[in-house]
Amino acid sequence: MTHATAELTRQDRCDRCGAQAFARATLPGAGGVLLFCGHHFRAHEAALVGAGAQIHDERHRLEQEVRTPER
């Protein structure tokens, strides 16, 4: 299991669709962890925050990953 504050890597995959994960939600209580791609995190973010999940959000990296090198 990945530590709640550890940076996500390319090997971390969305639990919903298998794409690269850019967000981690650690649920209160038992401490279950869910990983999400940007799309699925956006769809479930409000419910996760409302449930008191601890969120580690790296969606800012999406912009960095799609930028093309300057010529």
Side-chain angles (χ1 to χ4, degrees):
M1 177 163 54
T2 307
H3 188 272
T5 58
E7 189 172 298
L8 294 165
T9 69
R10 289 180 185 225
Q11 286 76 36
D12 291 312
R13 310 313 281 179
C14 177
D15 289 324
R16 183 79 177 170
C17 70
Q20 184 176 348
F22 287 95
R24 178 188 311 107
T26 304
L27 304 171
V33 175
L34 295 170
L35 299 175
F36 294 97
C37 65
H39 166 79
H40 284 112
F41 182 67
R42 190 170 31 260
H44 298 285
E45 182 176 12
L48 291 164
V49 170
Q54 178 185 359
I55 305 298
H56 179 82
D57 185 356
E58 295 184 13
R59 288 180 292 170
H60 64 279
R61 292 180 41 220
L62 284 167
E63 250 182 58
Q64 297 167 347
E65 302 237 346
V66 296
R67 265 189 218 145
T68 56
E70 292 183 24
R71 297 178 187 216

